[in-house]
Every structure is written in structure tokens, then in C-alpha cells.
């Protein structure tokens, strides 16, 4: 047990830093970035609980062949920990994980991480301003501030195809790759044609005997134009960090400039994206029948735009088949499609995505008056600027509702959230606040504005993981990243109910009634 986590009585009137314990849940990009900013601010009274046995989140888990980032390396890194040594314009997963391991060591963050600890319940005590967290090992931890950095796309989603357990061969999900299984010379199926599939398909195709890709919906794919950074280039970035900053800024502003093509519901803009993608398809696939099958029939940007230099070309290989007949069921020897054909395989790869972590609380969370976050989110996950939820004081979410970008690096959003959270922590500590709780009217106004924009966004025009079952979008931010950052990076006390230690505890309802 880490020393600075003590019983809740200790926090009646915190004065010293050690009386201000902070818990970060999750040691992925968000949790690590938050910890570094706490370190920079001289705040060391934090603990990171990580349910796995290593840091890295997405980049620890996604190790399938070809796993890489589809955001340029210079943009997909923390602005306060830039890396001149990326070997490619788009980093492979292992290199990003190496980068994260490196900064964790540099900042000696491991001293603050407890591995193998899952939080399964959190409860707020309004009297003391303390969160009590129940750990999977039966222990409890307490914290004045909790930062939920659990990520939005973490737990693999398996399709509800009948007979999925009946298959007698090898199965794996892209996010849980089994490196002990050798695909050399095997008949392999890949189910799914999303961002993971476009990376794994070209990577395994040359190794397997035959690859069949089961496509339910074709995707818009644009060229990646990936390339190596030469040693000379990397040396230049090492010697002149300004060049690295310029490269990062250029990539960021280009993505902002072209972003509206990806997120606006503007057919003329979408048509530009579609033209680029169709030209790419023509250059990669000569067979017109195959091209037809690979051409999407939904508006560009509606589902996640895919980026690849070699996905479509893979279907021209002799040992690769694109199967568009819908899957009927999985059987012992393979996959039967609706037309009755049984396709036999040695292995099935599920490139079928993730459970949307944002749809619910990551574990039961009870705020003021014992209200549960799942109840608060019954009609969809909402939070003020994607970070704070009224009635759940001192609880901050990184990569929360409506903060995902379809067009740029998610880390731009995450860094703004880290700054906001840090601002709140400093305010609480400096002014000895018991809690800060975002005002319900402020949260509602913010989310009304977010949802009012959605009809102008392209995402409502097709099915994707972006949308809840009722068709509402609680995952993506409807606008440019710079606008979100400008609005989110400062903690504005006027948006919050800031309660001092000596003030009587009142419920949100009483506050509203009094007002
Ligand atoms: O998952 P997806 P993903 N029968 O949900 C298909 C991030 N990411 O792992 O489109 C047949 O996009 C489904 O078909 P359909 C990124 O944010 C980032 O690829 O629903 N098919 C779809 O084709 C991304 O958006 C990087 O008709 C079934 C596929 O499975 C997110 O992760 C790299 C099916 C799922 O696609 C998820 O990407 C990789 C069924 N029953 C991922 N059920 C970066 O580079 C599902 N499908 C940063």
C-alpha cells in the first residue's frame, strides 16, 4: 500500500501536500501525461492504479502485425515530451510503447504505479471531500481527486455471430494477438474492415496460405504516405528541437485545415475526400468488380476515415479473397455465409473493434447523495467539456464524452484536459477546498450546444461505433481541436461550485433551490 493513502479521517482539514492524495486510474497515454504534469508542478502525492501488469494501454495491448498509429508520429506524442527519434512518419505500435516506457522511466513514474490493481467501485463522501476506491484485491484507497484515465476503446468487442465458440481452430482478437500462433501456411479469416483490419490484413497476407477478409461495410481509405525518417533527419531533429516543433505544428494545422472534410455534413467537402479515396482505389486495384465491392456507399467521414498505403492493394494478391456475402454462423471448421457456403479455416482473426468504454461508467461510481454515474448517464454519457460531471465532485475524466477527434491527434484534447485538471487541483489545494463540482446548468448548457451541432456533422448519416443505440453521438467532438483546447485548458472556478472545508455540505438540489 502506498504510504500517502490513508484513512479518510485524515482529510478533515488538509494543509500539506501529503494530505492531498490523488489517484489516477489507468497508466496509458492520459494517465502518464497527467502524472508528468503533476511532477512538473511539484505534486507527488499521487498514485496510479493500473489493472494490467505494464503501462501503455492501447499501445501495450495492440501488438498485432502491422499495428501502428495512423496519426503522424510528430503529432502523436506529448507536446511536453517530444521525440526526435521516431523512425517512421507513422510509428509502429512497438515504438510508441517504447516511447511511453522511456518517459515513464525518465520521470521515475513507476514508483507511483500499482500494477494489477483494478478499481471496482468509487464512492464520494461529501462531508470529507474524499473518494473511497474499492480495489479488486479487497483493499481500499482514498483520494481527494480522482482522474479517470481508463481510455475509451479498451476492451475487445467480439461479434454476436451464432456459433462463435464452436470454431475448432485458432481464434484471436486484434487487440489480444497471440504471438505464439504461427500463421505461416495457414488458411486465415479476418472479420472486420476497420482501422485495425487495414493494418493487419496487408501484414499477414504474405505469410498465410490463404486469407479471406469478411467485409460487412467497405471503408473510405486514403493514402498514408508513410516513410522512414533517415538517421540524418533524426539527427537534425535532435540538434534543432525547433524543427521538431515546426513539424508538429505543421501536421497539427494541416489536420485542422482539412478536418472539416472529415467531420462536417457538407456533401461538397465530403466529395473532395471521396475523390481522393477513389483515385487511391483505382491506383491500387485494377479489377473493376473488386473495386466495386470495395467502394463505400456512405458519406466520407461518416465512419472513421482509414489511412493505408497497402490495404486495398492486398486484395489483388492471389492468396487473398474479399468475401462480402454476410456471415450466417461460425461452425467447427469455419464460417458459413448466408448463401450456404462453408469457408474452412485454420484461424479466425476478429478485427471487430472495441466496447465503447464511454457508454457507461468504467465501474460503479457514486457521487453526491449516492447518485450513480450510470444513472446520470442513462440517456448517454455527458460531461462538462468531456471532463467533469455535475454531482461527481473532484472527479476528472481524460478522453471523456464528446472529446474524440475524427481528424487529428486525440492527445491534443487530452493535454487540454490535463491542464484543466491540474488547474482544479491547484485551486483546491491552494484554497483548501473540500470539493469542486461542475454546476449542472453550466454542464447542461455546454452539452446542449454540443448536441445542437451534431446535425451539421457527418456522423449521423451511417452506423458506426461513434453513435449510441439511439443514434446520438456522445463520443466525438463536433468541431476543430483548437476550439476545444481554447475552451477546455483553463479551469474556470465560476463554472464550478467550489466548496470550502468550513462550509456546510449542501446537496445540489438545496443549492439550486437556494439560488
Ligand atoms: O474496429 P472498428 P477497429 N460481422 O469498430 C466489423 C482505433 N484504432 O479495431 O463497419 C461482420 O472500426 C465492422 O463492420 P461494420 C480507431 O479509433 C486506431 O478497426 O460495423 N463484421 C467493422 O468493419 C478505430 O476507429 C488506430 O459493418 C463485423 C469492424 O468489424 C477504433 O480503434 C488503429 C461484425 C470493426 O471496426 C476501432 O478500430 C486501430 C459482424 N458481426 C484502431 N461486427 C490508430 O492507428 C463488427 N464487424 C490510431
Amino acid at each position: 500500500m502506498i504510504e500517502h493513502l490513508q484513512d479518510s479521517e485524515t482529510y478533515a482539514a488538509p494543509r500539506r501536500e501529503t494530505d492531498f492524495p490523488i489517484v489516477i486510474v489507468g497508466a496509458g497515454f492520459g494517465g502518464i501525461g497527467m502524472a508528468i504534469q503533476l511532477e512538473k508542478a511539484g505534486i507527488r502525492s499521487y498514485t496510479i492504479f493500473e489493472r494490467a501488469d505494464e503501462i501503455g494501454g492501447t499501445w501495450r495491448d495492440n501488438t498485432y502485425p502491422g499495428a501502428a498509429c495512423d496519426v503522424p508520429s510528430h503529432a502523436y506524442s506529448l507536446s511536453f515530451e517530444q521525440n526526435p527519434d521516431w523512425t517512421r512518419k507513422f510509428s509502429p505500435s512497438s515504438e510508441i510503447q517504447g516511447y511511453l516506457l522511456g518517459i515513464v522511466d525518465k520521470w521515475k513514474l513507476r514508483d507511483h504505479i500499482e500494477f494489477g490493481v483494478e478499481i471496482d467501485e468509487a464512492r464520494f463522501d461529501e462531508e470529507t471531500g474524499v473518494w473511497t476506491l474499492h480495489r479488486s484485491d479487497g483493499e481500499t484507497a482514498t483520494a481527494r481527486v480522482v482522474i479517470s484515465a481508463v481510455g475509451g476503446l479498451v476492451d475487445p468487442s467480439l461479434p454476436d455471430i451464432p456459433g462463435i465458440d464452436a470454431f475448432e481452430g485458432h481464434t484471436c482478437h486484434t487487440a489480444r494477438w497471440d504471438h505464439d500462433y504461427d500463421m505461416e501456411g495457414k488458411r486465415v479469416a479476418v472479420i472486420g474492415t476497420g482501422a485495425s483490419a487495414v493494418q493487419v490484413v496487408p501484414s499477414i497476407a504474405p505469410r498465410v496460405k490463404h486469407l479471406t477478409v469478411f467485409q460487412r461495410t467497405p471503408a473510405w481509405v486514403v493514402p498514408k504516405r508513410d516513410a522512414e525518417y533517415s538517421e540524418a533527419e533524426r539527427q537534425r531533429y535532435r540538434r534543432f528541437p525547433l524543427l521538431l516543433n515546426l513539424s508538429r505544428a505543421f501536421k497539427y494545422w494541416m489536420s485542422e485545415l482539412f478536418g472539416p472534410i472529415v467531420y462536417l455534413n457538407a456533401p461538397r467537402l465530403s466529395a473532395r475526400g471521396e475523390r481522393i479515396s477513389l483515385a487511391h482505389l483505382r491506383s491500387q486495384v485494377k479489377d473493376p468488380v473488386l473495386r466495386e465491392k470495395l467502394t463505400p456507399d456512405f458519406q466520407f467521414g461518416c465512419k472513421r476515415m482509414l489511412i493505408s498505403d497497402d490495404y486495398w492493394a492486398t486484395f489483388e494478391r492471389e492468396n487473398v479473397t474479399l468475401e462480402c456475402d454476410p456471415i450466417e454462423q461460425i461452425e467447427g471448421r469455419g464460417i458459413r455465409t448466408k448463401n450456404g457456403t462453408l469457408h474452412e479455416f485454420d484461424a479466425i482473426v476478429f478485427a471487430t473493434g472495441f466496447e465503447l468504454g464511454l457508454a457507461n461508467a468504467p465501474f460503479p461510481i457514486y457521487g453526491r447523495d449516492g447518485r450513480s454515474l450510470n444513472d446520470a448517464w442513462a440517456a448517454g454519457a455527458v460531461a462538462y467539456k468531456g471532463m467533469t460531471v455535475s454531482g461527481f465532485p473532484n472527479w476528472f475524466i481524460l478522453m471523456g464524452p464528446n472529446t474524440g477527434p475524427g481528424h487529428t491527434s486525440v492527445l491534443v484534447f487530452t493535454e487540454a484536459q490535463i491542464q484543466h485538471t491540474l488547474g482544479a487541483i491547484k485551486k483546491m489545494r491552494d484554497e483548501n477546498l473540500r470539493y469542486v463540482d461542475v454546476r449542472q446548468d453550466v454542464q447542461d448548457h455546454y452539452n446542449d450546444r454540443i448536441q445542437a451541432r451534431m446535425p451539421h456533422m457527418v456522423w449521423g448519416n451511417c452506423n458506426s461505433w461513434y453513435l449510441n443505440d439511439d443514434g446520438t453521438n456522445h463520443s466525438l467532438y463536433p468541431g476543430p481541436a483548437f476550439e476545444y483546447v481554447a475552451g477546455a485548458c483553463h479551469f474556470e472556478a465560476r463554472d464550478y461550485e467550489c466548496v470550502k472545508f468550513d462550509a456546510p455540505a449542501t446537496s445540489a438540489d438545496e443549492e439550486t433551490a437556494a439560488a
Side-chain angles (χ1 to χ4, degrees), residues 26 39 77 139 147 152 161 247 263 267 289 317 364 369 444 447 483:
E39 290 281 342
S77 43
E139 289 197 47
I147 298 143
I161 299 172
S247 168
Y263 57 74
V289 178
R317 292 179 63 96
D369 304 321
D444 291 345
N447 281 292
E483 176 203 43

Side-chain angles (χ1 to χ4, degrees), residues 276-286 291 294-295 312:
I276 294 168
S277 185
L278 289 173
H280 184 47
L281 179 59
R282 279 194 299 276
S283 75
Q284 297 230 316
V285 179
K286 300 292 165 239
R291 266 205 315 256
L294 289 165
T295 305
W312 272 336

Side-chain angles (χ1 to χ4, degrees), residues 188-259:
V188 178
V190 170
I191 300 179
T193 52
S196 302
V198 295
Q199 296 179 339
V200 77
V201 163
S203 304
I204 61 174
R207 281 201 265 142
V208 302
K209 182 175 176 200
H210 195 90
L211 179 64
T212 306
V213 179
F214 287 84
Q215 171 184 278
R216 190 164 66 178
T217 315
W220 290 111
V221 184
V222 296
K224 196 171 189 180
R225 305 198 200 294
D226 194 11
E228 277 186 12
Y229 282 119
S230 67
E231 179 48 37
E233 281 174 298
R234 283 183 269 152
Q235 209 163 27
R236 260 202 307 279
Y237 286 126
R238 275 195 291 272
R239 285 186 62 196
F240 307 109
L242 179 65
L243 291 179
L244 195 54
N245 287 334
L246 287 174
S247 168
R248 184 183 176 90
F250 177 75
K251 288 175 172 82
Y252 169 69
W253 286 109
M254 288 304 278
S255 67
E256 288 285 70
L257 187 66
F258 291 105

Side-chain angles (χ1 to χ4, degrees), residues 11 31 68 74 87 90 115 125 155 160 167 175 185 225 274 277 315 327 367 390 392 433 444 508-509:
Y11 308 118
H74 287 172
T87 61
F90 293 86
F115 289 104
D125 180 353
D155 294 320
D160 55 356
F167 185 59
R225 305 198 200 294
E274 288 163 16
S277 185
F315 293 99
I327 297 173
S390 187
F392 298 82
L433 297 179
D444 291 345
D509 292 345

Side-chain angles (χ1 to χ4, degrees), residues 68-70 153 159 192-196 216-217 303-304 351-354 465:
C69 189
D70 57 13
L153 299 169
T193 52
S196 302
R216 190 164 66 178
T217 315
K303 278 159 122 54
R304 197 173 198 273
T352 45
F354 300 88
W465 65 259

Side-chain angles (χ1 to χ4, degrees), residues 100-179:
L100 289 171
L101 289 167
I103 57 177
V104 162
D105 286 347
K106 174 181 163 189
W107 285 94
K108 299 190 173 31
L109 301 185
R110 280 185 191 276
D111 299 347
H112 292 265
I113 307 176
E114 284 201 44
F115 289 104
V117 176
E118 192 161 356
I119 302 300
D120 27 83
E121 190 191 284
R123 203 172 274 278
F124 184 67
D125 180 353
E126 200 168 336
E127 299 291 332
T128 56
V130 167
W131 281 97
T132 299
L133 305 168
H134 293 266
R135 304 165 33 144
S136 48
D137 56 8
E139 289 197 47
T140 56
T142 47
R144 294 295 318 289
V145 164
V146 179
I147 298 143
S148 174
V150 298
L153 299 169
V154 181
D155 294 320
S157 162
L158 288 172
D160 55 356
I161 299 172
I164 189 165
D165 296 324
F167 185 59
E168 287 156 12
H170 176 80
T171 58
C172 74
H173 187 279
T174 44
R176 296 288 181 274
W177 196 260
D178 179 359
H179 291 275

